[in-house]
Amino acid sequence: MKAELAQSAGYCFGVKRAIELAEKNAPACSLGPLIHNQDAVSELESRGIHAVESASALPDGGKVVVRSHGLGQSELEELKAGHEVIDATCPFVRAIHVMVQNAARQGQSVIVCGQREHPEVKGILGWAGSKACVVADPEEARRLPKMESALIVSQTTLGLNAFEDICRELKLRIAQPLIRTTVCDATVKRQAECEALSRRSDVMLVVGDKASANTRRLAEIAKEHCKGTYLISGAEELKNIALKPEDSVGITAGASTPRRKYEEVIAHMSDIETKVNPVDEPITPEVATEEEDFAAQIEGTLVRIRPGQTVTGKVLQITEDEIGVDIGYKMDGILKKSDLCDTDVKVGDEIEVEVVKVNDGEGNVVLSQRGIASRKLWDEVLAKFENGEYVTAVGEQAVKGGLVCSLGGIRTFVPASQLDTHYVSKIEQYVGKELTLKIIEADRAKKRIVASRRAVLEEEAAARKAEIWGRLEKDAIVTGVVRRLTDFGAFVDVGGVDGLVHITNLNWGHPTHPSEAVSVGEEIQVKILSLDPDNDRVSLSRKATMPNPWTVAEANYPVGSVVEGKVVRITTFGAFVELEPGLDGLVHISQCALTRINKVEDALNVGDIVRVKVLDVDTDKKRISLSVRAVLEDEAVEGTDEAIDDEYAIEEDAPAEEYTEETTEEAPETEN
Ligand code: SF4
C-alpha cells in the first residue's frame, strides 16, 4: 500500500498564529473554539485556553482571544470595553474587514459569498454596513434584485470554483460588480492539491473535524474525483475502512486539524510506503514562510497610526458635517468639517490629515487638519524669518506700545517704533489694513512673532536708491530737473538722487548767483563729475555740456570786428568785457576812451554795455584784446567825413591828441 500525504495538510497560517497567540497569553478564554477540532480544543483547554460560547460567559476583565475568523466591529468594541482582547483575527480576514468597511462608508452594497452561519462570514458582515448580504450559491445569486454596483468578496475558505460560479451569476444582475477574490491562498492551494491527489489515489482520507467547513469542502472536492473518499476525525475511524494492500492512499487534512491527528492515521496504516512528503518530515518551511510572507504583506498594507501622526488619506464620502477618509488603517477616519482646512475637497481627493484619536470609542479614527495647517504656517513663517523674506499681515488691534496683527491666524506684534520710518501718533490707522512686514523675532514654542514695517520701508528705500545709484555713471550726461537754488549752486534731481551743480559749473560765464543761469523746475542737461554713494553726494556740471566759447572765439570774433559786451570787472590796467558767458576780453586802460584817463572808472563802470573793437584773439593764451577807443575813433572819423561831405570844409592842421599804451601793470590772462 502506498500513502501520499498532501503537502498543505494541517494547520494553516492563520490557525497556527491564533493558537500561538492564545498559548502565549494563557490563561485566557476564547470566544468560541479557536479551531474546529474537538481534540485540539480539549488540548488547549488543558493548557489554560477555555472556549466560551458567548461574551456574557466571559469573566470580567480577563483576557479574551478573538479567533482567526474575527468578529464584527461592534462585537469587537464591546469586548474591548470590558476585557483585555488578544486579537488573533487572521490578517487575511482582517483585510476583508477593511475592504467592506470602506465600501460601506461610500454607501456601496456588499455581497459576501459564503456560508451564512460561518463565524467568519458573520464577522465580515459586522463591518459591511446595512447594505450587505450573504450569497451561499449561484441559485441565491439568481434571486438577488438587479443592482447598479456592489463589492463582492468571499469567505476565505470558499472554493475558488464555487466563488467563480456565484460571481458569474452576480455579474448578470449587477451593472458594475467590484469583485475581490478573497479566497485564502492557503485554501486555494490546499484544495488544488486535494483535487490533484484525489485524481491519482484509490482511496482519499480527509482528516479533520466534521464541523469544520474547510475540511468538509476538501472531502467534497476529493469525492468528485475519487469514489473512495472518507472524512475521518482520526486513526480510530480507520477500522471502518477496507484498505487493500494495492491501494494508493492520498491523505490530506483540514486547516484546523492538528498535525498529531493525521500522523496517527498514517501510523495506524500497516504496510504503508510513504511516497511523498513522509510524515516524519515537518511541514516544509517554504510553505510556512510563503504563508507568513503573504500575511506580512497584508499586514504591511494596514497602516499603523498614532495620535499626532500626519497621514495622507483618500476622501471616501462627504456628509453635511463630516468627511470620511480612507487612511489605509483598518478603520476609516472621520474629519469634522469644522476641522477641515483644505478647500474644494471632493470624493476621491487625497488630503493630508492628522490623527487626533486612534479610536473615538465608536471605532472611528478622529482626524483633523487644524494642527497640520498651523504647523505648516509656522514652518513657512520660520523659513521666511530665516531667509529675511517679507510677510503679509492684517492689523487687528492698536494696543499700548504697538499694533497686533494677524499673520494667517498667528498673532504678530509690531512695536510702534517699527510701524514707520517716522514717529506714528495714530496707531489705529493701521487697523484693518494689510501690511508688508519683516519678522524680527520668532519663537514657535512661545508662539511669539515680532515684526517691523519700518524695516521693510527702509529696505525698499535702500533698494530704490541702490537701483538709482546703479544707473548713474561718472562722466555720463543725463537730464535733470532743477529742484532748488542756493548761493553756491543748484540742486538737480537726476532720477531720484539730487546732485549739486556748483555755481562755477553752471555755465561758461561768471554768474554771481545760480538764478542768473538756471531756474527752479527747469530741465537741464548735466554731466556727472563724481559719485559718492556712501555720503549721498553727486557732483554735476552743466558747463561741461556746453561748447567751450574759446574753441570758436577766433571765428566768432574776427580781428577788426565791432561787438557789444558788458563790463564785468575793472582793474587798474583796464576793464574786462564779457562778450558772451565764458568769453571775456580786456580793454586796456589806454583803449578805454578817446582821451587819456587816469583810471579806468573815468570811462567805464562795471555793468556798462559797451561797443568794442576786436584788436587781437589769442586762443592759446585765452586772451582777447578789445578797444573802446578804436570804436570811438572810427565813429569820429565817420562823423568828420560826414561833416566834410556836408560842409565841404576840412581842418587839416588840427593836431591829434597824443596817447601811449604804457601801463604800470602787465595784463593777466583771462580766467576762463
Ligand atoms: S484559512 Fe486562510 S484565511 Fe482562514 S485562517 Fe487559515 S490562513 Fe487565515
Side-chain angles (χ1 to χ4, degrees):
M1 186 183 297
K2 284 196 297 187
E4 186 176 355
L5 177 65
Q7 203 166 16
S8 55
Y11 284 168
C12 66
F13 159 78
V15 169
K16 212 159 77 183
R17 178 175 172 269
I19 291 171
E20 281 169 7
L21 271 173
E23 287 179 344
K24 210 187 290 172
N25 285 282
C29 290
S30 66
L31 198 53
L34 271 188
I35 51 175
H36 294 295
N37 188 287
Q38 198 43 53
D39 282 352
V41 169
S42 306
E43 214 174 292
L44 284 169
E45 190 82 35
S46 68
R47 286 189 232 150
I49 314 296
H50 309 287
V52 297
E53 282 312 312
S54 66
S56 57
L58 289 166
D60 284 344
K63 286 183 186 174
V64 55
V65 181
V66 174
R67 54 190 176 170
S68 58
H69 300 316
L71 284 176
Q73 184 177 11
S74 56
E75 290 167 286
L76 187 63
E77 294 307 327
E78 248 173 59
L79 213 55
K80 282 180 179 172
H83 304 87
E84 185 186 339
V85 173
I86 315 299
D87 191 352
T89 305
C90 175
F92 302 157
V93 177
R94 198 154 70 231
I96 303 175
H97 292 172
V98 174
M99 268 181 230
V100 298
Q101 190 191 29
N102 287 342
R105 284 199 189 283
Q106 293 176 59
Q108 204 168 32
S109 300
V110 174
I111 296 174
V112 184
C113 301
Q115 296 161 301
R116 206 162 267 105
E117 293 309 315
H118 194 283
E120 180 190 303
V121 173
K122 286 182 175 174
I124 293 170
L125 284 177
W127 295 89
S130 57
K131 288 163 84 177
C133 68
V134 180
V135 170
D137 52 39
E139 182 49 40
E140 284 190 14
R142 273 191 285 279
R143 290 203 295 268
L144 278 184
K146 294 232 173 196
M147 289 184 211
E148 190 49 41
S149 71
L151 171 71
I152 303 166
V153 296
S154 73
Q155 182 183 330
T156 56
T157 47
L158 188 70
L160 201 53
N161 293 341
F163 181 56
E164 284 169 357
D165 290 347
I166 296 172
C167 285
R168 206 170 299 118
E169 290 300 330
L170 289 175
K171 280 184 200 166
L172 300 175
R173 314 210 60 76
I174 302 167
Q176 290 178 314
L178 188 61
I179 299 172
R180 294 283 178 265
T181 306
T182 52
V183 175
C184 168
D185 198 40
T187 304
V188 174
K189 270 190 187 168
R190 189 192 310 277
Q191 291 176 354
E193 207 184 346
C194 174
E195 184 188 322
L197 192 56
S198 62
R199 282 182 193 276
R200 59 178 181 263
S201 302
D202 301 313
V203 175
M204 266 304 284
L205 299 178
V206 180
V207 187
D209 198 304
K210 294 180 179 69
S212 162
N214 78 82
T215 305
R216 284 203 311 271
R217 180 71 194 131
L218 284 180
E220 282 167 20
I221 292 169
K223 191 106 189 159
E224 283 175 31
H225 308 286
C226 177
K227 296 279 175 256
T229 294
Y230 301 92
L231 195 168
I232 57 173
S233 56
E236 62 280 4
E237 290 183 42
L238 276 178
K239 60 180 183 297
N240 304 324
I241 303 168
L243 295 171
K244 296 194 233 53
E246 66 275 18
D247 282 343
S248 60
V249 181
I251 303 164
T252 188
S256 51
T257 307
R259 186 175 173 190
R260 177 178 51 79
K261 296 300 286 183
Y262 52 82
E263 280 180 350
E264 278 173 10
V265 169
I266 295 167
H268 276 73
M269 292 167 67
S270 56
D271 302 328
I272 288 175
E273 182 188 335
T274 307
K275 187 177 170 190
V276 177
N277 209 21
V279 292
D280 54 355
E281 276 181 17
I283 293 174
T284 60
E286 292 77 20
V287 173
T289 308
E290 235 175 73
E291 288 177 346
E292 278 162 19
D293 284 352
F294 183 43
Q297 280 172 26
I298 294 282
E299 286 277 25
T301 63
L302 301 173
V303 174
R304 293 180 200 286
I305 56 171
R306 57 179 165 68
Q309 186 180 348
T310 300
V311 294
T312 301
K314 193 171 183 182
V315 175
L316 296 174
Q317 64 182 112
I318 301 175
T319 66
E320 203 175 321
D321 307 319
E322 294 177 340
I323 293 179
V325 184
D326 173 12
I327 54 170
Y329 186 58
K330 56 187 175 182
M331 319 285 186
D332 286 337
I334 299 294
L335 172 63
K336 286 208 180 324
K337 277 193 172 165
S338 55
D339 290 328
L340 175 75
C341 295
D342 287 349
T343 50
D344 295 333
V345 171
K346 300 182 293 300
V347 170
D349 283 358
E350 287 209 335
I351 58 172
E352 263 197 338
V353 286
E354 185 181 87
V355 177
V356 178
K357 265 190 195 172
V358 175
N359 190 334
D360 66 352
E362 291 177 10
N364 299 314
V365 181
V366 181
L367 305 173
S368 174
Q369 284 193 321
R370 290 194 173 279
I372 296 174
S374 166
R375 245 196 332 272
K376 275 188 181 168
L377 184 58
W378 266 99
D379 287 347
E380 281 170 22
V381 166
L382 290 176
K384 286 188 173 172
F385 172 48
E386 277 167 23
N387 297 331
E389 288 175 46
Y390 298 160
V391 293
T392 304
V394 177
E396 284 195 327
Q397 190 190 1
V399 294
K400 194 179 169 197
L403 179 75
V404 175
C405 299
S406 169
L407 174 49
I410 300 178
R411 189 180 187 276
T412 301
F413 181 64
V414 183
S417 63
Q418 297 295 326
L419 277 168
D420 212 323
T421 50
H422 54 265
Y423 172 72
V424 174
S425 56
K426 282 190 178 173
I427 295 174
E428 310 77 48
Q429 65 179 297
Y430 297 105
V431 173
K433 288 203 174 140
E434 202 173 79
L435 307 173
T436 303
L437 304 173
K438 182 170 184 178
I439 300 169
I440 52 179
E441 193 185 325
D443 188 330
R444 192 198 289 245
K446 291 181 186 164
K447 295 196 181 327
R448 176 181 161 82
I449 293 180
V450 181
S452 168
R453 179 169 174 264
R454 177 179 161 179
V456 174
L457 297 175
E458 285 176 347
E459 284 181 2
E460 284 177 349
R464 272 197 306 274
K465 184 178 147 189
E467 194 262 328
I468 292 165
W469 281 93
R471 274 193 278 121
L472 298 178
E473 274 178 33
K474 188 175 174 299
D475 296 333
I477 291 175
V478 295
T479 302
V481 177
V482 179
R483 293 290 180 212
R484 66 196 163 94
L485 304 177
T486 66
D487 287 345
F488 53 85
F491 283 96
V492 178
D493 179 351
V494 285
V497 174
D498 284 356
L500 173 67
V501 185
H502 193 266
I503 190 166
T504 57
N505 283 321
L506 276 171
N507 58 24
W508 283 97
H510 306 286
T512 52
H513 191 268
S515 57
E516 291 169 19
V518 292
S519 52
V520 172
E522 186 183 343
E523 200 171 84
I524 58 171
Q525 294 267 296
V526 286
K527 181 176 180 178
I528 299 173
L529 299 181
S530 65
L531 295 163
D532 183 359
D534 295 340
N535 294 306
D536 270 354
R537 282 193 186 154
V538 183
S539 181
L540 306 169
S541 170
R542 180 170 175 256
K543 183 168 129 182
T545 66
M546 299 168 149
N548 185 341
W550 282 103
T551 58
V552 289
E554 248 174 350
N556 288 350
Y557 303 96
V559 174
S561 62
V562 175
V563 293
E564 207 167 66
K566 183 181 177 184
V567 178
V568 291
R569 197 151 50 96
I570 305 277
T571 67
T572 54
F573 54 85
F576 284 94
V577 172
E578 184 187 67
L579 302 179
E580 62 180 82
L583 200 66
D584 297 350
L586 175 66
V587 182
H588 191 268
I589 188 168
S590 62
Q591 296 294 323
C592 285
L594 275 174
T595 57
R596 182 186 181 88
I597 54 175
N598 292 326
K599 56 183 191 299
V600 177
E601 287 86 346
D602 290 343
L604 299 171
N605 288 299
V606 171
D608 288 351
I609 304 295
V610 292
R611 281 162 56 76
V612 288
K613 191 170 193 175
V614 179
L615 302 182
D616 184 42
V617 177
D618 185 341
T619 51
D620 292 337
K621 292 183 179 170
K622 291 191 176 152
R623 282 183 182 174
I624 297 178
S625 292
L626 303 171
S627 172
V628 173
R629 178 182 157 190
V631 174
L632 294 174
E633 282 174 350
D634 289 349
E635 285 173 356
V637 171
E638 281 170 21
T640 304
D641 290 347
E642 281 169 18
I644 291 169
D645 288 345
D646 289 347
E647 298 174 18
Y648 304 100
I650 301 173
E651 291 183 30
E652 290 187 349
D653 298 330
E657 192 176 341
E658 192 180 320
Y659 180 81
T660 63
E661 289 191 356
E662 287 173 7
T663 61
T664 52
E665 289 179 70
E666 184 85 9
E669 291 183 355
T670 54
E671 294 178 353
N672 296 293

